[in-house]
Amino acid sequence: MSENQPDPVSELVERYFLDPNSLSNTEQATLIEALKADPAVRRRFRMAAHIETELRYEASGEEPVATTPSPSTGTSWPKLVFAIAATLLIGIAIGYAIWPGTGNAPPEIAVETPNPPEAVQPEAVEPELITPPNVIARLDVGHAYRFEEGFAPKEGEFLPGDYHLAEGEITLGFDNGVAVSVESPARFKVVDPLHMHLEHGRARAIVPETGHGFVIQTSKLVVEDLGTEFGVVVDDKQNQELHVFAGEVRLHEQNLPPELLTENSALAWNAQDQRRTIAADDHAFATSMSIGYKRWLDYSERLRDDPAALFYFDFETDSRESSNVTNRAEHSVVQDGHLNSGIWATGRWPEKGAMLFENPGDRIELDIPGEYDQITMMAWVQMNRYDLALQTVFNTIGFERGEHHWNLLRSGSLRMGLGGMYDFTSRASLPRNRWTHVAAQLDSIAKESIYYIDGKEVGRVAWNSTIPLQYGPSTIGAWGSVNNQGEVVYGRELRGRIDEIALFSRILSADEIAEAYEAGSNFQ
């Protein structure tokens, strides 16, 4: 089944509200069984019933009144209505205020019951205990954000209620997989796992199959997901826009029948509800990935400004023909690196630079003077292949006492060591084709080394003596060793990308390493 098409049960629900008599006896039975067996179908039915009820009420312009039961026109259809009546009434009773501002309860729905011998009795429902409100969504990522006092999530958790985003951008992650990115200034309400109201601002929803039926509602529109990605805009004058980037949505407007909008289509409404077609603009809306990139940019400024930074390479360049790799560390004594083959490439984000190491001898050469009591090294690495028994990320020329090496085994495990002291092999490994954060702390004062993958400790080594740490001529990429003729030859070539690597003459704490991982992890 195409992800852009509703499933058969959803079509039965839609047909029921468009024309109940269009369902055959078999289709009626299928819908009844689906409502009994699947909570998602019951939620879908409640949402459709609620939208239908409120649209009819808004179109009437009257106060809601109870309807009068009408005589049955058949023998089988009232059975279906009775079977779903409990679900329908629960959905209306809990008060989905789908058109805000009416101040009235939805109209009661009277349902005719058949004769007792033929009636299908609803299952008994145990009374529910009153429990605190559930967490509906969590803050996934944010950049330079601030909420107004009294309208902020507590510890990044969104309960049902109103929120006012005064500055920045955020992404809400729902437990059903839905991600909604909101840009300030914005006022919005989190209603339930499938329903969000946007009063003012700009929001983009990315909805997986597990969140099918997710709704973003405004004062003019109800936009219902059919397996898609879409954006909604409401400005301070109530001009509104709907952009569909993938899949389909079902658009509900007051006094109009539901309408399907498909990929790359967009509509706009002015304050007087006049509608026009516009071009869909994918770049006009934030995503968790674009927010993550901005957050990383801010964090990278902190790293390069650290007085202990010996080098900080972010692999940004003005020319992909350049052999110069700029050291961004502001207070460093280490000169820029020299690219001796290697390919300028794309990193974790489309806007981010990286260095691709693919061919024999691909490397960056640099020289790190001095001796150190403590160092921390961190890098983001994406391994494409493990062609060799050992592949080099960062090594000194040779492997003298006190020199630190960082290699990877064919299994993807870290193979790191300190010349004259120890070699360390991690049980954890770096997967292929995925960006991974790696860090190492070497402390000659505490006589200990600790290693991390994706912000979590994966091993530590105790030293048997104190030894100063040193580097001198070094490479990122292929390792240089001196042969019997005194020549430097290169091997252990890397097969992957690096888009950030830094060396500090101090110990970054475990919390700082975890923060560095978190700050750079929203890239997909």
Side-chain angles (χ1 to χ4, degrees):
M1 181 189 304
S2 169
E3 66 178 4
N4 294 331
Q5 296 179 351
D7 60 82
V9 173
S10 292
E11 290 190 356
L12 292 179
V13 173
E14 294 302 322
R15 286 173 54 197
Y16 162 65
F17 286 102
L18 291 173
D19 182 8
N21 294 320
S22 69
L23 271 63
S24 66
N25 290 338
T26 301
E27 289 171 330
Q28 295 172 26
T30 298
L31 182 55
I32 291 174
E33 291 303 316
L35 287 165
K36 290 180 180 179
D38 192 340
V41 175
R42 293 195 291 273
R43 289 196 301 270
R44 177 76 184 85
F45 188 90
R46 287 197 297 268
M47 179 64 72
H50 179 55
I51 291 172
E52 172 74 7
T53 301
E54 292 289 356
L55 288 174
R56 290 182 181 276
Y57 166 59
E58 288 290 330
S60 70
E62 299 178 356
E63 293 294 322
V65 296
T67 58
T68 303
S70 58
S72 171
T73 56
T75 58
S76 60
W77 181 244
K79 298 178 184 179
L80 174 61
V81 173
F82 189 79
I84 61 182
T87 300
L88 176 58
L89 290 173
I90 291 171
I92 295 172
I94 64 175
Y96 279 85
I98 201 74
W99 294 112
T102 62
N104 296 294
E108 297 178 5
I109 304 295
V111 180
E112 179 185 9
T113 58
N115 294 327
E118 300 181 2
V120 179
Q121 297 297 331
E123 297 180 2
V125 179
E126 294 293 332
E128 293 187 2
L129 298 176
I130 299 176
T131 58
N134 292 328
V135 175
I136 302 299
R138 292 171 175 82
L139 180 65
D140 177 48
V141 62
H143 172 251
Y145 65 90
R146 180 181 64 83
F147 285 89
E148 292 182 12
E149 186 176 354
F151 296 93
K154 185 177 180 180
E155 297 180 349
E157 295 182 337
F158 291 84
L159 303 176
D162 294 307
Y163 299 91
H164 295 178
L165 182 65
E167 297 175 2
E169 304 166 329
I170 62 167
T171 295
L172 288 73
F174 291 75
D175 288 342
N176 55 17
V178 174
V180 180
S181 298
V182 181
E183 301 170 62
S184 66
R187 298 187 301 275
F188 61 93
K189 175 183 288 187
V190 175
V191 181
D192 60 42
L194 289 173
H195 184 193
M196 180 173 168
H197 183 273
L198 182 65
E199 182 180 346
H200 174 226
R202 184 180 295 266
R204 179 178 189 144
I206 299 177
V207 185
E209 185 65 26
T210 51
H212 183 77
F214 185 82
V215 166
I216 290 183
Q217 172 199 336
T218 73
S219 60
K220 301 180 187 293
L221 316 170
V222 174
V223 184
E224 179 190 0
D225 154 75
L226 296 178
T228 189
E229 183 173 339
F230 64 94
V232 179
V233 180
V234 181
D235 71 12
D236 54 1
K237 296 181 180 179
Q238 289 299 300
N239 298 305
Q240 303 190 14
E241 297 177 13
L242 168 60
H243 299 243
V244 183
F245 306 119
E248 293 180 338
V249 301
R250 181 176 287 109
L251 170 63
H252 302 267
E253 291 185 71
Q254 299 181 50
N255 304 323
L256 293 174
E259 176 182 358
L260 288 181
L261 290 182
T262 57
E263 182 174 343
N264 293 325
S265 60
L267 295 172
W269 294 259
N270 63 18
Q272 291 73 42
D273 294 340
Q274 295 171 322
R275 179 172 122 169
R276 71 185 190 280
T277 300
I278 60 174
D281 189 352
D282 182 62
H283 300 290
F285 293 82
T287 65
S288 61
M289 189 167 69
S290 68
I291 296 171
Y293 177 64
K294 292 177 182 178
R295 184 176 72 165
W296 171 80
L297 281 175
D298 287 351
Y299 188 77
S300 72
E301 292 286 345
R302 290 172 50 187
L303 294 181
R304 67 182 66 184
D305 289 342
D306 192 316
L310 295 174
F311 68 74
Y312 179 82
F313 296 128
D314 61 5
F315 300 101
E316 300 295 327
T317 181
D318 295 329
S319 171
R320 295 200 171 191
E321 303 300 322
S322 175
S323 61
N324 188 70
V325 182
T326 303
N327 179 9
R328 307 288 182 184
E330 295 291 339
H331 311 285
S332 177
V333 297
V334 177
Q335 301 299 311
D336 292 347
H338 175 73
L339 178 62
N340 194 321
S341 71
I343 303 169
W344 294 99
T346 301
R348 279 166 285 166
W349 297 275
E351 305 91 339
K352 176 81 180 70
M355 185 60 64
L356 171 63
F357 301 88
E358 178 67 22
N359 301 305
D362 282 0
R363 65 190 183 276
I364 297 168
E365 299 173 353
L366 64 158
D367 190 11
I368 306 169
E371 293 184 347
Y372 306 93
D373 292 327
Q374 299 175 319
I375 68 100
T376 302
M377 175 172 279
M378 299 191 300
W380 280 95
V381 180
Q382 182 191 69
M383 292 303 300
N384 295 339
R385 306 188 308 279
Y386 289 104
D387 292 347
L388 306 173
L390 279 174
Q391 297 187 49
T392 294
V393 177
F394 173 88
N395 280 344
T396 59
I397 302 298
F399 192 34
E400 301 300 324
R401 184 173 175 80
E403 295 180 351
H404 180 229
H405 274 205
W406 175 7
N407 300 298
L408 295 168
L409 297 178
R410 195 187 297 274
S411 64
S413 296
L414 298 176
R415 178 67 168 177
M416 306 175 91
L418 187 64
M421 292 291 293
Y422 69 86
D423 290 311
F424 165 75
T425 301
S426 68
R427 293 185 179 180
S429 61
L430 276 64
R432 294 179 179 87
N433 301 315
R434 183 173 73 81
W435 286 103
T436 306
H437 186 260
V438 179
Q441 301 164 322
L442 279 73
D443 192 338
S444 67
I445 299 173
K447 295 192 293 187
E448 184 178 54
S449 298
I450 308 175
Y451 297 95
Y452 301 80
I453 294 178
D454 284 347
K456 297 180 180 179
E457 182 181 325
V458 296
R460 61 176 63 204
V461 181
W463 302 9
N464 54 27
S465 63
T466 296
I467 185 173
L469 302 164
Q470 60 183 346
Y471 292 94
S474 305
T475 58
I476 300 169
W479 173 53
S481 61
V482 181
N483 63 15
N484 293 333
Q485 288 74 41
E487 301 169 331
V488 178
V489 294
Y490 294 91
R492 300 182 182 176
E493 291 89 354
L494 192 66
R495 296 289 188 266
R497 302 181 187 215
I498 302 176
D499 79 348
E500 184 179 20
I501 185 168
L503 181 69
F504 302 86
S505 60
R506 70 175 180 92
I507 296 298
L508 274 67
S509 69
D511 287 343
E512 287 179 294
I513 290 172
E515 183 182 14
Y517 165 68
E518 290 295 333
S521 61
N522 280 89
F523 48 82
Q524 58 185 8

